[in-house]
Amino acid sequence: MEIRSVYYSSLIFWTVCFVWSIETHSVSPPNIILMLMDDMGWGDLGVFGEPSEETPHLDMMASQGMLFPDFYTANPLCSPSRAALLTGRLPIRNGFYTTNAHARNAYTPQEVVGGITNDEILLPELLKKQGYVSKIVGKWHLGHRKQHLPLEHGFDQFFGSPHCHFGPYNDIARPNIPVYNNSEMIGRYYEEFKINNKTGESDLTQMFLQEALDFISHQSTHQPFFLYWAPDATHDPVYASKQFLGRSQRGRYGDAVMELDHSVGKILAHLVDLSIEKNTFVFFTSDNGAALMSGPGKSGSNGPFLCGKETTFEGGMREPAIAWWPGRIPAGTVSYQLGTVMDLFTTSLALAGLNAPDDRIIDGLDLSSILFNKSLVERPVFYYRGNEMMAVRLGLYKAHYWTWTNSWEEFITGIDFCSGQEVPGVTNHTQQEHTMQPLIFHLGQDPGEKKPISVLSKEYLDVQTRIGTVVEKHKRTLVPGEPQLNMCDLAVMNWAPPGCEKLGKCLKAPPSNPWKCDWPH
Amino acid sequence: MEIRSVYYSSLIFWTVCFVWSIETHSVSPPNIILMLMDDMGWGDLGVFGEPSEETPHLDMMASQGMLFPDFYTANPLCSPSRAALLTGRLPIRNGFYTTNAHARNAYTPQEVVGGITNDEILLPELLKKQGYVSKIVGKWHLGHRKQHLPLEHGFDQFFGSPHCHFGPYNDIARPNIPVYNNSEMIGRYYEEFKINNKTGESDLTQMFLQEALDFISHQSTHQPFFLYWAPDATHDPVYASKQFLGRSQRGRYGDAVMELDHSVGKILAHLVDLSIEKNTFVFFTSDNGAALMSGPGKSGSNGPFLCGKETTFEGGMREPAIAWWPGRIPAGTVSYQLGTVMDLFTTSLALAGLNAPDDRIIDGLDLSSILFNKSLVERPVFYYRGNEMMAVRLGLYKAHYWTWTNSWEEFITGIDFCSGQEVPGVTNHTQQEHTMQPLIFHLGQDPGEKKPISVLSKEYLDVQTRIGTVVEKHKRTLVPGEPQLNMCDLAVMNWAPPGCEKLGKCLKAPPSNPWKCDWPH
């Protein structure tokens, strides 16, 4: 009798817990953490075959979550990729491109005048409606002038920088890049925030990690939260902190990967320690392919894929990607879904119980059913370079309408985006148009884009027709946004960011003298 | 009080279970299942990036077990690879090579006179000491004459064939390949055991699956057992059963992969259904790299690796590899250990509580501590082609002492082991010696072996010294075995295998006329 009564009490207890947990799921939107690496390549993960023992935590994250081998960025360069992630829209729509020349990659160096416009709606702006507190840690890269900064676009907190950590500069021709804490500069790279380009030592990743951990700790009692964690240690000049320098077998780049992997492990463990992992959606990916032009020790691996960053070959746009949510996303799954960084926008909204804006075209897909039910949805992936749709993937096929590595002028100076991987008729140094007869590859049989399918085959004709229909529809409905990355001006550089007075670090700007930015590739 | 007594009863019960389970572990050796694919490539697994949705069960197996991205065969061709697996020894030691010409891949077509000798000790012979019942299902390829067959070398049961399923032949110049059930032929490929080369249809994989399931069912009450499951559907001519034909997006080859993946899933599920999965060690791998020369639709993918089957570049010898043992091997781990098929010999013995023979050199490593404790052990990997040590890997470095794709004579007939992947100075059609100055690659930074490290660098000199020491020691202690694959004779072909009388399928052998086999590559 006593045993039976214990049994019944147990039963009632668990039933209550179960019902309560269902309730919790339906009423409380999850926390969202998007981890975006900088120039990290698909092939840098141990689970994808990198032998250098750098990513045990990411490998484990994959085994506890869902691995996406077919995940893409929206553009093979950082700023447009990041703008696409936060708006759910292709750069050609959200304005993160240039019309100064055909098919050029543009981004936001500090002389750029433009940035994200107020017409675009960013993910944290929408999440606010559901009570999310949002923070970006690391690299923003959507513009650095007051109106472009994160706090103007829905983020409640900002710790990091509007730009890449290039430098050091001399304060005369060019100021060093500012680091912000919320709305004010708290120092500059190479000044208060050290990066030793000679040794590769910098504590920035540790700092970005601590910011993330502190934010999560604080918000654990103020859920839901959105953390956009965008460290940039794997971007040339690559850096790592002292405890990681020299530890890898791939030089400084590998050290940086190890430190980032370690940090990812710390963040996931922190969620578990706080018992909020079952209410937190985490997604790990990168902004574009590995920067092969930086050479060994300074860049990563794109695995079997052709070329790298700056190109619309697979090596430029295929990204490592892992979704993690213990108890919700089935552990140890490999999803064959074609995904894009823009899906993170739409998926995050769906998880928060919000609809995407209906007054504009959103390119992101809600991945919920893929994440929770392992379903698959056919959808195209568009490969843009500036104002040109270079290629389209549908299913296992990819059709290139334009191909270009970079110009001969650049190439002969040693800039090579396809280092050691020239493929006759495929890679090239003059822009090549194939719109009448696209180069088509079967990525299942030829992941390295080395052997175009014969234009005389039935397979070619079938695919050309199928992808052609998709392209026609895409082009018919496409209304390009106003290009935001056309104009440059030395006067807009970070001479006197807000907060510089307190620090005594205001510099004098030269007179305004705008010009059309030169985007060489 | 009552609750407390229930608690104590529980405690005692679980303690007893725990102690009992420890006892069970130490006294009862586990069942062992080695799954060896034929010509399947590293890059064919979804978890390694193949986008064609063919391997959900293998992906799941990886997430429940340990994935080895750095696992190797012992030779880039089937027979020597399989002989190495079962003896734990390099082919140069166990005799599975030729001295008819330098650095040639030899195997066991039906005109070969030799096979595995009685001097070699095979895994099932040793396992018998611990009471294992052993079965091979599928392709043997260690010789087809009476003295070479599986039942003469420790296997208790044999269902499959001594050879590849080449054919159909005409019974006059060449008999069709026999299929054995234990010691007797029960039919021949293309006769009783249909393979339709035109449509690609064959039920062989289903048959091999059923044999495996039946054996497991029967042995579940007669443990421990050893199952060597070696289906060959992914070897050209590639086949699949009707229910899988046309289902993949990579042609017949992809169909075959799907059917094998499905079968792996069935076998693992069967272990779970029988509740013996916690006492069964399963290892999945392949015998050599994908056979790129067979072309798309007939061959697989080697991921980022150079060339394929027949070569000692990474694409010829890097294999997909997964260890699975729920509750014993930590789930979802990626191991960076360098492993080889010969380790399966030594590891299986260790799991069975047996020592490897101490009267000969064993090349296999006991992987137990890697499997159970995630430890890592530095060890070299030797890449042999026939009688020549072509290359050595140590850590992340690989030094090529000889390189060769295949001969010009072959190449101009269209036989290309590096299809679409010529790398100047690396791939070549005349045997190239580099023994004085090896070509050295850093596989972490350059998995595709495209950029040899400069011979002028300190890195080169360091590595050359380190690997040189390993090579010197290896060569100093190496006593090559008697080569078994030198002689051929049409008289030894499968004219009248045992059992042919009952079936009325004995054919007349021509008179003996032995010659030195010609191994062209």
Side-chain angles (χ1 to χ4, degrees):
Chain A
M1 282 293 281
E2 287 73 19
I3 291 175
R4 186 177 290 175
S5 79
V6 171
Y7 169 77
Y8 282 124
S9 314
S10 268
L11 191 68
I12 291 164
F13 173 75
W14 287 116
T15 307
V16 168
C17 285
F18 179 66
V19 171
W20 177 79
S21 95
I22 290 178
E23 286 298 306
T24 316
H25 265 143
S26 59
V27 299
S28 155
N31 307 309
I32 296 167
I33 300 181
L34 304 183
M35 300 172 160
L36 188 73
M37 302 300 108
D38 204 338
D39 290 0
M40 191 181 280
W42 186 97
D44 283 328
L45 268 53
V47 68
F48 286 149
E50 169 54 50
S52 310
E53 304 174 45
E54 293 160 8
T55 64
H57 298 95
L58 286 166
D59 300 343
M60 187 51 77
M61 182 182 180
S63 82
Q64 295 171 349
M66 189 174 275
L67 184 65
F68 287 85
D70 294 80
F71 199 85
Y72 290 87
T73 183
N75 194 280
L77 196 61
C78 35
S79 294
S81 168
R82 288 157 196 258
L85 185 153
L86 289 172
T87 61
R89 285 150 59 80
L90 283 167
I92 192 77
R93 298 193 213 274
N94 68 32
F96 260 62
Y97 71 104
T98 182
T99 49
N100 289 358
H102 179 247
R104 301 296 171 113
N105 293 314
Y107 71 111
T108 56
Q110 55 174 330
E111 62 268 34
V112 89
V113 175
I116 194 73
T117 70
N118 285 331
D119 293 338
E120 292 299 318
I121 309 175
L122 272 64
L123 179 58
E125 291 180 69
L126 294 163
L127 291 177
K128 212 183 284 285
K129 295 185 200 167
Q130 283 283 38
Y132 279 77
V133 175
S134 299
K135 178 164 195 160
I136 164 174
V137 174
K139 175 168 157 182
W140 168 240
H141 235 197
L142 265 61
H144 62 291
R145 299 173 71 202
K146 175 87 170 67
Q147 67 270 35
H148 302 139
L149 288 172
L151 301 200
E152 304 297 315
H153 292 273
F155 282 101
D156 302 295
Q157 300 175 38
F158 172 30
F159 187 91
S161 171
H163 301 284
C164 260
H165 55 275
F166 293 134
Y169 301 122
N170 62 3
D171 284 0
I172 306 300
R174 186 172 278 265
N176 273 321
I177 301 292
V179 174
Y180 278 76
N181 187 15
N182 296 324
S183 56
E184 292 196 348
M185 174 172 91
I186 52 169
R188 295 184 191 263
Y189 284 144
Y190 302 94
E191 297 173 15
E192 290 74 15
F193 296 91
K194 306 286 185 207
I195 304 169
N196 186 328
N197 282 346
K198 210 164 175 179
T199 63
E201 184 177 342
S202 174
D203 291 332
L204 288 173
T205 300
Q206 290 302 317
M207 203 172 65
F208 293 146
L209 168 61
Q210 199 54 51
E211 281 292 323
L213 297 177
D214 290 349
F215 175 70
I216 294 169
S217 295
H218 184 260
Q219 295 308 132
S220 65
T221 52
H222 301 75
Q223 299 181 58
F225 64 81
F226 166 45
L227 171 62
Y228 174 46
W229 192 63
D232 63 353
T234 40
H235 191 297
D236 193 18
V238 170
Y239 61 76
S241 66
K242 196 166 189 173
Q243 55 176 312
F244 287 92
L245 269 186
R247 265 184 60 187
S248 88
Q249 299 176 80
R250 284 201 299 169
R252 208 172 282 177
Y253 181 86
D255 301 343
V257 171
M258 285 184 88
E259 185 162 17
L260 291 168
D261 175 79
H262 165 88
S263 303
V264 169
K266 285 276 182 204
I267 291 173
L268 299 187
H270 196 52
L271 297 174
V272 174
D273 288 347
L274 294 169
S275 304
I276 57 172
E277 83 281 13
K278 292 214 162 62
N279 197 39
T280 306
F281 169 67
V282 186
F283 202 97
F284 173 93
T285 189
S286 181
D287 64 346
N288 47 244
L292 301 188
M293 61 285 205
S294 297
K298 295 178 182 172
S299 62
S301 160
N302 292 318
F305 305 122
L306 186 63
C307 303
K309 180 177 177 179
E310 304 278 6
T311 78
T312 49
F313 298 111
E314 289 298 287
M317 297 191 52
R318 191 87 76 99
E319 306 304 330
I322 306 169
W324 187 90
W325 188 352
R328 285 283 277 156
I329 294 174
T333 340
V334 175
S335 174
Y336 297 96
Q337 176 65 42
L338 299 196
T340 80
V341 291
M342 298 171 288
D343 301 345
L344 301 178
F345 173 90
T346 313
T347 305
S348 297
L349 290 180
L351 297 180
L354 291 163
N355 290 323
D358 57 4
D359 63 341
R360 60 197 68 207
I361 291 181
I362 300 290
D363 297 286
L365 191 71
D366 173 10
L367 298 177
S368 306
S369 69
I370 290 122
L371 294 169
F372 305 141
N373 310 323
K374 302 192 201 172
S375 59
L376 286 174
V377 180
E378 182 166 279
R379 65 90 71 89
V381 171
F382 298 100
Y383 303 66
Y384 268 85
R385 184 161 176 167
N387 62 345
E388 188 57 78
M389 190 206 73
M390 307 286 283
V392 179
R393 176 172 173 183
L394 191 67
L396 292 180
Y397 292 97
K398 178 175 176 183
H400 288 269
Y401 293 88
W402 285 86
T403 51
W404 192 38
T405 306
N406 60 346
S407 69
W408 279 114
E409 292 75 5
E410 275 208 336
F411 184 63
I412 56 175
T413 68
I415 298 175
D416 187 358
F417 299 148
C418 300
S419 179
Q421 298 188 311
E422 298 300 324
V423 181
V426 179
T427 59
N428 46 50
H429 298 288
T430 42
Q431 294 192 357
Q432 202 72 45
E433 183 169 4
H434 313 274
T435 51
M436 299 304 290
Q437 195 174 64
L439 284 182
I440 298 182
F441 295 93
H442 185 298
L443 295 177
Q445 289 177 342
D446 179 19
E449 296 169 287
K450 291 196 168 56
K451 298 176 197 167
I453 294 172
S454 164
V455 296
L456 301 174
S457 65
K458 185 175 172 306
E459 184 182 17
Y460 183 92
L461 294 174
D462 287 351
V463 176
Q464 190 185 19
T465 308
R466 285 205 303 126
I467 298 192
T469 308
V470 169
V471 169
E472 195 273 325
K473 185 180 164 203
H474 175 68
K475 295 215 160 176
R476 184 159 36 83
T477 57
L478 180 72
V479 182
E482 193 69 34
Q484 299 301 317
L485 307 180
N486 279 349
M487 296 309 297
C488 285
D489 188 345
L490 295 181
V492 304
M493 296 204 293
N494 296 289
W495 303 106
C500 70
E501 305 82 357
K502 282 187 211 159
L503 299 170
K505 292 188 80 76
C506 302
L507 300 169
K508 191 172 156 32
S512 174
N513 186 16
W515 76 93
K516 272 190 167 182
C517 313
D518 175 41
W519 303 114
H521 36 255
Chain B
M1 280 292 281
E2 288 73 18
I3 291 175
R4 185 176 292 176
S5 79
V6 171
Y7 170 77
Y8 282 125
S9 314
S10 268
L11 190 69
I12 291 163
F13 173 75
W14 288 115
T15 307
V16 167
C17 286
F18 179 67
V19 171
W20 178 80
S21 95
I22 289 178
E23 285 297 305
T24 315
H25 265 143
S26 59
V27 298
S28 155
N31 308 309
I32 296 167
I33 300 180
L34 304 182
M35 301 172 162
L36 188 72
M37 301 301 108
D38 203 337
D39 290 2
M40 191 182 280
W42 187 96
D44 284 327
L45 269 53
V47 66
F48 285 149
E50 169 54 49
S52 311
E53 304 174 42
E54 293 161 9
T55 64
H57 298 96
L58 287 166
D59 300 342
M60 187 51 77
M61 182 182 180
S63 83
Q64 294 171 348
M66 188 174 275
L67 183 67
F68 287 86
D70 292 82
F71 198 85
Y72 289 88
T73 184
N75 193 281
L77 196 61
C78 32
S79 294
S81 167
R82 287 157 197 258
L85 186 154
L86 288 171
T87 61
R89 284 151 59 79
L90 283 167
I92 192 77
R93 298 193 213 274
N94 67 31
F96 260 62
Y97 72 104
T98 182
T99 49
N100 290 358
H102 179 248
R104 302 294 170 115
N105 293 314
Y107 70 110
T108 55
Q110 54 175 333
E111 62 268 33
V112 89
V113 174
I116 193 74
T117 71
N118 286 331
D119 292 340
E120 291 299 316
I121 309 174
L122 271 63
L123 179 57
E125 293 180 68
L126 294 162
L127 291 178
K128 212 183 285 285
K129 295 185 198 166
Q130 283 283 38
Y132 279 76
V133 175
S134 298
K135 177 163 195 157
I136 165 174
V137 174
K139 175 168 157 182
W140 169 240
H141 235 195
L142 265 61
H144 63 291
R145 298 172 73 200
K146 175 87 173 65
Q147 66 270 33
H148 302 138
L149 288 172
L151 300 199
E152 305 296 317
H153 292 272
F155 282 100
D156 302 294
Q157 300 175 37
F158 172 29
F159 187 91
S161 171
H163 300 283
C164 260
H165 56 275
F166 292 134
Y169 302 123
N170 61 3
D171 284 0
I172 308 298
R174 187 173 278 262
N176 271 323
I177 301 294
V179 175
Y180 279 75
N181 187 14
N182 296 324
S183 57
E184 293 196 348
M185 172 172 91
I186 52 168
R188 295 183 192 264
Y189 284 143
Y190 301 93
E191 297 173 16
E192 290 74 16
F193 296 90
K194 305 288 184 206
I195 304 169
N196 186 328
N197 281 348
K198 212 163 174 181
T199 63
E201 185 177 341
S202 174
D203 291 332
L204 289 172
T205 300
Q206 290 303 315
M207 205 173 63
F208 293 146
L209 169 60
Q210 199 54 51
E211 282 291 325
L213 297 177
D214 290 349
F215 175 71
I216 294 168
S217 293
H218 184 261
Q219 296 306 134
S220 65
T221 52
H222 302 76
Q223 301 180 55
F225 64 82
F226 167 44
L227 171 63
Y228 175 43
W229 192 65
D232 63 354
T234 39
H235 191 295
D236 194 18
V238 171
Y239 61 77
S241 66
K242 196 165 189 175
Q243 56 175 313
F244 287 93
L245 268 186
R247 266 184 60 187
S248 87
Q249 299 175 81
R250 283 201 301 169
R252 208 172 282 178
Y253 181 86
D255 301 342
V257 172
M258 285 183 89
E259 187 164 14
L260 291 167
D261 174 78
H262 165 88
S263 303
V264 170
K266 285 277 182 204
I267 292 174
L268 299 186
H270 196 52
L271 297 173
V272 174
D273 287 346
L274 295 169
S275 304
I276 57 172
E277 84 280 11
K278 292 214 161 64
N279 197 37
T280 305
F281 169 66
V282 186
F283 202 95
F284 173 93
T285 189
S286 180
D287 64 347
N288 46 246
L292 300 189
M293 60 286 206
S294 298
K298 296 177 182 173
S299 61
S301 159
N302 291 319
F305 306 122
L306 187 62
C307 302
K309 179 178 177 178
E310 304 279 5
T311 78
T312 48
F313 298 110
E314 289 297 287
M317 298 192 50
R318 191 86 74 100
E319 308 303 330
I322 307 169
W324 187 90
W325 187 353
R328 284 284 277 158
I329 294 173
T333 341
V334 175
S335 174
Y336 297 95
Q337 176 65 42
L338 298 197
T340 80
V341 291
M342 298 171 288
D343 301 344
L344 301 178
F345 173 90
T346 313
T347 305
S348 296
L349 290 178
L351 297 180
L354 292 163
N355 290 324
D358 57 4
D359 62 343
R360 61 198 67 206
I361 291 182
I362 300 290
D363 297 286
L365 191 72
D366 173 9
L367 299 177
S368 307
S369 68
I370 290 121
L371 294 170
F372 305 140
N373 309 324
K374 303 190 204 175
S375 60
L376 286 176
V377 180
E378 182 164 279
R379 65 93 70 88
V381 171
F382 297 101
Y383 303 66
Y384 268 86
R385 185 163 176 165
N387 62 346
E388 188 58 78
M389 191 206 73
M390 307 285 284
V392 180
R393 176 172 172 181
L394 191 67
L396 292 180
Y397 291 97
K398 178 175 177 183
H400 288 268
Y401 294 88
W402 284 86
T403 51
W404 193 39
T405 305
N406 59 347
S407 70
W408 278 114
E409 292 77 2
E410 274 207 335
F411 183 62
I412 56 172
T413 69
I415 299 175
D416 187 359
F417 300 148
C418 300
S419 180
Q421 298 188 310
E422 298 300 323
V423 180
V426 178
T427 59
N428 46 50
H429 298 288
T430 42
Q431 294 193 358
Q432 202 72 44
E433 182 168 4
H434 313 275
T435 50
M436 298 305 288
Q437 196 173 61
L439 284 183
I440 298 181
F441 295 94
H442 186 298
L443 296 178
Q445 287 175 343
D446 179 18
E449 296 169 286
K450 292 196 167 53
K451 298 177 197 168
I453 294 172
S454 164
V455 296
L456 301 174
S457 64
K458 184 175 173 305
E459 184 181 19
Y460 182 93
L461 294 173
D462 287 351
V463 176
Q464 189 185 20
T465 308
R466 285 206 301 127
I467 299 192
T469 309
V470 169
V471 170
E472 196 274 324
K473 184 180 165 205
H474 175 67
K475 296 215 160 178
R476 183 159 38 82
T477 57
L478 180 71
V479 182
E482 193 70 33
Q484 300 300 319
L485 306 180
N486 279 351
M487 296 309 297
C488 286
D489 187 346
L490 295 182
V492 305
M493 296 204 294
N494 296 288
W495 302 105
C500 70
E501 304 84 356
K502 282 188 212 161
L503 299 171
K505 292 186 80 76
C506 301
L507 299 169
K508 191 171 155 38
S512 174
N513 185 16
W515 78 93
K516 270 191 168 180
C517 313
D518 175 42
W519 303 113
H521 37 254

